Amino acid sequence: MTRSEERLTVGTEAVETGRARLRKHVVTENVTRTVPVSHEEVRVEREPITDANRGDALDGPALSEEEHEVTLHAERPVVEKETVPVERVRLSTETVTDQQTVNEQVAHEEIEQVEGDVRQTGRDAR
C-alpha cells in the first residue's frame, strides 16, 4: 500500500502589474526683464559773443541761411532666445522585497490497521 501526502512548495512568478510612461510637453510662460536703455535728445545751446570767441563768430558771412544737422541715437532692447539642454530624465525600476505570508491547506493520507490488537495511525503506520 502506498501512502501519499501533498507537499507545499512556495515560490514566486513575475507578473505584469502596470506601466509607467514619461511624456514631455511644452509650457509657455511670460518672463519679464528690465533692461536700461538710453537715447539722445537735442538741446539748443546759446552762448553770448565775447572777446574770446568773437573770431569764431565772425568766421562766416554776415547774413546767410544755413542748416546744421545732428544725428540722434537711441538704444532699444534686443531679445535673443536659445534652447539649451538642462536635464536628462529617464525611468528606472527598483526591486523591493517584502515578506508575504501564504496560507494553504495540504492533504495527506493516513493508513490504519483494521485487524489485530494494535492500532496505528498516521505516519507511524508505514
Side-chain angles (χ1 to χ4, degrees), residues 104-124:
E104 186 63 45
Q105 292 183 347
V106 293
H108 67 274
E109 298 173 332
E110 294 184 357
I111 299 175
E112 298 179 359
Q113 182 178 348
V114 290
E115 293 178 21
D117 295 17
V118 180
R119 184 174 180 163
Q120 294 181 339
T121 61
R123 296 182 181 189
D124 296 335

Side-chain angles (χ1 to χ4, degrees), residues 9-125:
T9 303
V10 179
T12 61
E13 68 175 336
V15 295
E16 185 176 304
T17 59
R19 294 186 181 268
R21 178 179 302 158
L22 284 179
R23 176 179 294 143
K24 73 176 183 175
H25 61 278
V26 176
V27 176
T28 303
E29 63 179 299
N30 282 334
V31 176
T32 303
R33 298 283 191 268
T34 302
V35 57
V37 293
S38 63
H39 67 278
E40 296 175 336
E41 294 180 351
V42 69
R43 177 173 73 234
V44 176
E45 297 179 356
R46 299 177 184 266
E47 114 183 53
I49 302 298
T50 64
D51 288 337
N53 65 11
R54 186 172 298 277
D56 293 335
L58 298 176
D59 197 14
L63 290 174
S64 67
E65 292 188 14
E66 298 181 46
E67 282 188 17
H68 287 266
E69 185 176 288
V70 175
T71 302
L72 301 175
H73 297 87
E75 293 178 334
R76 63 180 177 164
V78 176
V79 176
E80 185 177 302
K81 295 189 278 186
E82 68 175 318
T83 302
V84 296
V86 295
E87 180 180 40
R88 287 183 50 85
V89 179
R90 69 178 149 270
L91 292 175
S92 65
T93 60
E94 177 180 340
T95 302
V96 178
T97 303
D98 291 329
Q99 299 296 320
Q100 187 171 350
T101 302
V102 176
N103 289 315
E104 186 63 45
Q105 292 183 347
V106 293
H108 67 274
E109 298 173 332
E110 294 184 357
I111 299 175
E112 298 179 359
Q113 182 178 348
V114 290
E115 293 178 21
D117 295 17
V118 180
R119 184 174 180 163
Q120 294 181 339
T121 61
R123 296 182 181 189
D124 296 335

